[in-house]
Amino acid sequence: MKRCPNCNRTYTDEALNFCLEDGTPLLGATENNETMRYGAPRSTNPPPTEIYRPAQAPTPPPPVVNRAPHFQPQWSPGPVVQPRKSHAVWWVLGGLAVLVILGIGIGVILLAIASINSASNSNRVIVANSNTNRNANSNRLSNTNSARANTNSTPSLPSSFSDDFSEQKWTVASSDFGNLWYVNDEYHMRSKDQTYVVMYGPSADYGTENATVQVTARNVDGISPASGYGLTVHGEKSKDDKLEDYTFLIFTGPEPKYKVLLHKGGTETSLVPWTPSTVIRKGTATNQLEVRIKGPQLSFYINDQFITDVTDTANYKRGRAGLYTSDVHEVAFDDMEITR
C-alpha cells in the first residue's frame, strides 16, 4: 500500500508512484516514519466489590411551635378621620328625576295606545269559521267598545251619507283570517279558506236605523266565494261580544243565487236559503245590493229589483252597515250610500 504524504490518500496499486490528486511522490508503507501511538493497556483486575448501604434519612428535628406572648391589648387612638360628605341626596334626586321621566313616557305611550284603540275600535272587523251552519264563535281583529243598546244614539245623523272609498276610512289589515286593503278607490276583501270576514262601518255615520243602504260589489278574479259576499245591516256586537247583524249575500258563479242570514249571539241562522236569481250578474260584473229598512221590516234589492223581505224579529233596530266575504277569492266594494 502506498500513501501520499501531502493529502494522505492511500493507493493499493504498487505500480503507482505519484498521487493522482496533486502529483506528490507516494511513500511506501515502510517509509512512513510517523510514530504509531497505542493507548495504555486495559487493566484486567477489577476493583473489589463493595456492598451498597443506603444512607439513612436524617431524623427531622421536632417542630418549633411559635407561641405568641400573652399580653393584654391596649387601646391607642388612631388618627382623626373627617367623615366624607354624603352624595346620597344627589342619588335620590337623580332617581326621582328618572321616575318622573319614565312616568311621562308611560303616559305618552298609554295615550298613543288609547288613540290607536279608539281608531281601530271605530272599524269593526269580525271573522268566524265558515262551517256548514256557521255556528262557531266569531274572532275579532278589532273590538267594538259599545253594546247594541248604545249604538247610533246620536240623534243628529245626516239624512244622507255616502262613501266612495276614495278616502281610507275602513280598516286595512292582514291576518290569519283574511286581508283588507284599498286599491283604485275600492275596498278589497279576501277571507281565508273555511272562514268568513265581516267588516262593520268605521263610524256612527254608517248607522242603518230606518235607512236605505246601497253598495256595489264585484268579484275580482271571476271565481265567486263559495259561501257568498255582500252587505250587512244593523251590525253590532252583543254585550258578551258576539256577532249580531242581518246579512244579504250573493253568489256570482255559473248559477247565481242570493241568501239572507241572521247573526245573533255568534250563531248564524239562514232566514232565506240560497235562492237562484237571474237578476244577479255573473263573473266579474258589478252588482248593486240594497236593503231598505223601515221599522222592523227589511226589504232586499239587487240591481234595483226587489228580491225578498224579512222581519226584524231580533229587534236590532240600531247598528251599522258592513261588508261580508267568505273563502279565498277577492271581492271589491264601492259607492256605499245611506239615506234616512
Side-chain angles (χ1 to χ4, degrees), residues 231-285:
L231 174 67
T232 68
V233 295
H234 292 341
E236 188 56 271
K237 73 171 186 178
S238 64
K239 292 182 179 180
D240 56 351
D241 202 29
K242 302 295 183 180
L243 175 68
E244 292 188 338
D245 59 53
Y246 287 95
T247 301
F248 185 29
L249 301 179
I250 59 174
F251 173 78
T252 54
E255 298 179 0
K257 51 189 175 181
Y258 66 87
K259 185 178 186 179
V260 178
L261 302 174
L262 168 66
H263 292 122
K264 185 173 184 179
T267 300
E268 184 175 281
T269 303
S270 177
L271 300 181
V272 179
W274 283 117
T275 304
S277 175
T278 58
V279 175
I280 301 172
R281 301 174 184 134
K282 302 178 183 179
T284 59

Side-chain angles (χ1 to χ4, degrees), residues 50-164:
E50 294 183 3
I51 300 175
Y52 172 72
R53 298 179 185 276
Q56 294 184 355
T59 304
V64 178
V65 179
N66 292 324
R67 299 182 182 274
H70 183 71
F71 65 95
Q72 293 293 331
Q74 295 182 357
W75 176 81
S76 174
V80 177
V81 180
Q82 293 293 336
R84 284 190 181 180
K85 202 171 197 181
S86 175
H87 297 284
V89 173
W90 296 107
W91 283 103
V92 171
L93 293 177
L96 290 175
V98 171
L99 290 176
V100 170
I101 293 172
L102 289 176
I104 294 173
I106 292 173
V108 172
I109 292 173
L110 291 177
L111 289 175
I113 293 174
S115 176
I116 293 172
N117 288 338
S118 175
S120 63
N121 286 338
S122 65
N123 291 337
R124 290 150 167 78
V125 182
I126 303 173
V127 297
N129 293 332
S130 179
N131 297 328
T132 302
N133 57 3
R134 298 182 184 273
N135 288 331
N137 289 333
S138 62
N139 297 312
R140 283 169 171 75
L141 296 179
S142 67
N143 296 325
T144 55
N145 289 328
S146 60
R148 178 175 295 280
N150 296 324
T151 305
N152 295 347
S153 58
T154 304
S156 58
L157 290 177
S159 58
S160 64
F161 175 80
S162 63
D163 185 354
D164 61 1

Side-chain angles (χ1 to χ4, degrees), residues 280-296:
I280 301 172
R281 301 174 184 134
K282 302 178 183 179
T284 59
T286 298
N287 288 277
Q288 184 185 66
L289 306 180
E290 179 180 352
V291 182
R292 300 177 184 178
I293 304 168
K294 188 173 183 180

